[in-house]
Amino acid sequence: MARVRYRAMRLDLEGLDAQGVELAFDADASHPRRIRLGRTQKLSGMLTKTADSLLLTDVQAEAVVVSLVELVLSSFSVQLGAEGSLRGLQGGLRREEATDVDVMAAVLDAPELCVRFSNFSVKGHLRGESVALRISGSEGQLEAGTVVVEGVEFEGDLSSRAERVVGQDLRVAWGADGYRVTLRCLELDGAHVGLDLREKSQEAGGEDKSRGSRSPVALFDWRTLDGLSGALDVDVHVNMKVPVIASRRAKHPFRIQIREGTVNYMDLERSLSALEESILDFAVRDGSLVLERGIPLIPTRGRGTPLVLWPLEERDLALTSEDRVRLAVLPRYERVEQESGGEEQGDSSVSLEELSLVDLQALLRLEVQETRGTASSLRALGFEELQLQGTVHHSPGKEPRQGEVTGKLRALCGSISGLFLGESQLDIGQLTLSALTDLRARFLDVRPEKVNFALSDLRLDSVSFGNLVEPPEGVIDS
């Protein structure tokens, strides 16, 4: 019997209808990876087929309809909800033990494209220019010079809707170790954003197992507040148990002026009503700012019972000559343990029953600060104006009460480094935002539950997102 040998076959417009051709890429049943082609215009190229291999070379097409995309990878999946198309297609394919693809297209049109990650998804109508796709077995890379996504829907803990998003120099790489998405810049004119924090609030304090052995990174460096200036007015309603008096209800009108990240702690003390001011004093003792409890109506400043202290560095000690303290110092407080027994026990102890921040009004400005050696994720933050108003309640041991803060923000800038969202890391070299408006944050007790706002003129430069540390060798070549 004669042996049949496959020879090269040239494809041309008259000789071949490629409609219905399906390409499958080395996957199992749980990770289907296939692309199905529809109608083609002016298709040409060379096909070489043997018993063990398939080779497509010099493939060109004026236009190709893409009727199906289903790519399920270990870290994310891609699906096409409606027919898309490729224009100006050229490239080739080799299938032997693995499948290698190297194709380029002048224009990619992908309606109802959906990309799903472990805890969020992105949908929209994508149009890309200067597109290149390279696949080598389980590793691959997609590049596009310009990407425009219309009708964008982002779903997850954070939900967002935007009419149009534009990206430049998109690159998506994936492999056995994960994926990474990078963009030179990303711009959107406007978006509505909602953030549901209820589950996050319940899980607060739990271990973040998604980071594995990675070292935790602080979200915010308090030294950023050194650039804060403005005014904060709020009526503080307090119900507390104090020495001598069984219960004390009072309203304290705080009118706080913030100057270069500092506040006058004596002004804070004077904002207390007469009785509380006679009991609670600020004093500088042994290199610390101390909040102490004295004896009602008897001057004991500097000799009272310390309740809370803030250790001060040399520059902070210098500020106490003006009765000022940096806001960045306040989160680093230390509670002073009280000795047991004696008169400090029983009814003489101080306990907070209820605290409400009522009719809060804030007008603030944040100048960018240089914070060398910071390990925080949010860096070089600044804004021209932040307005806030609202009421928040705190009732320890009681049924939590609802609160709300509204506001707006103008001219925000900053950067993000090493911010983990689930298993993926987000880095943004530069972030600029013209305005954040319609801010509405709903609180249950002091925990934010839901946050909604609108964005205008957002630009992100040098964006990187994913969990792939090193690009797959031999696949990612800039």
Side-chain angles (χ1 to χ4, degrees), residues 34-325:
R34 54 194 181 128
I35 299 175
R36 185 180 301 147
L37 304 180
R39 302 176 303 278
T40 60
Q41 297 179 16
K42 296 184 179 180
L43 177 66
S44 65
M46 184 72 68
L47 181 148
T48 304
K49 188 177 186 302
T50 69
D52 301 318
S53 67
L54 174 68
L55 181 64
L56 283 169
T57 56
D58 300 325
V59 175
Q60 295 188 24
E62 184 177 279
V64 177
V65 170
V66 181
S67 57
L68 173 71
V69 173
E70 185 180 23
L71 302 174
V72 181
L73 305 169
S74 58
S75 301
F76 67 100
S77 65
V78 181
Q79 289 185 316
L80 189 64
E83 280 192 349
S85 65
L86 294 166
R87 294 187 176 275
L89 176 70
Q90 57 182 327
L93 176 147
R94 177 189 297 272
R95 176 181 294 169
E96 294 177 324
E97 294 182 358
T99 301
D100 294 340
V101 177
D102 190 348
V103 297
M104 294 180 291
V107 177
L108 164 66
D109 186 65
E112 298 182 29
L113 184 70
C114 179
V115 183
R116 289 187 174 89
F117 298 87
S118 59
N119 53 358
F120 68 91
S121 64
V122 183
K123 302 177 183 178
H125 185 155
L126 181 146
R127 180 182 175 87
E129 298 179 359
S130 301
V131 179
L133 173 65
R134 301 180 183 90
I135 298 176
S136 180
S138 62
E139 300 176 346
Q141 173 182 301
L142 173 67
E143 292 181 343
T146 300
V147 174
V148 178
V149 187
E150 297 179 333
V152 181
E153 298 181 12
F154 186 105
E155 296 292 343
D157 291 334
L158 182 151
S159 61
S160 178
R161 304 287 186 275
E163 292 186 3
R164 190 170 186 263
V165 177
V166 180
Q168 301 291 336
D169 296 338
L170 168 69
R171 185 166 137 192
V172 183
W174 65 89
D177 295 330
Y179 73 97
R180 183 158 296 279
V181 180
T182 61
L183 289 132
R184 179 172 58 83
C185 71
L186 184 72
E187 296 177 289
L188 61 85
D189 295 331
H192 293 276
V193 180
L195 183 59
D196 191 339
L197 298 172
R198 287 173 295 183
E199 184 176 345
K200 297 298 181 184
S201 297
Q202 295 169 3
E203 295 176 353
E207 181 182 359
D208 186 356
K209 299 180 180 179
S210 65
R211 299 188 188 183
S213 60
R214 299 185 180 98
S215 300
V217 177
L219 179 63
F220 183 76
D221 189 328
W222 294 107
R223 291 177 296 173
T224 300
L225 296 180
D226 290 346
L228 191 67
S229 297
L232 173 63
D233 297 346
V234 61
D235 292 337
V236 181
H237 293 237
V238 180
N239 178 14
M240 63 187 303
K241 181 180 177 182
V242 297
V244 182
I245 301 173
S247 180
R248 169 68 173 166
R249 291 180 180 271
K251 182 178 84 169
H252 308 284
F254 283 88
R255 306 297 180 253
I256 303 170
Q257 295 296 318
I258 304 171
R259 188 181 72 206
E260 296 179 343
T262 70
V263 294
N264 188 307
Y265 53 82
M266 294 304 296
D267 285 347
L268 295 180
E269 182 181 313
R270 285 188 285 269
S271 295
L272 299 172
S273 66
L275 180 59
E276 278 78 7
E277 186 183 0
S278 69
I279 297 172
L280 300 175
D281 293 320
F282 282 107
V284 179
R285 298 165 54 176
D286 300 323
S288 296
L289 177 65
V290 180
L291 178 63
E292 58 186 24
R293 185 177 73 228
I295 301 174
L297 308 179
I298 298 177
T300 56
R301 186 182 305 276
R303 303 187 305 275
T305 301
L307 302 174
V308 182
L309 63 84
W310 292 266
L312 301 178
E313 300 174 358
E314 184 176 348
R315 65 166 174 160
D316 295 312
L317 281 171
L319 283 171
T320 62
S321 64
E322 304 175 22
D323 297 332
R324 304 195 72 83
V325 62

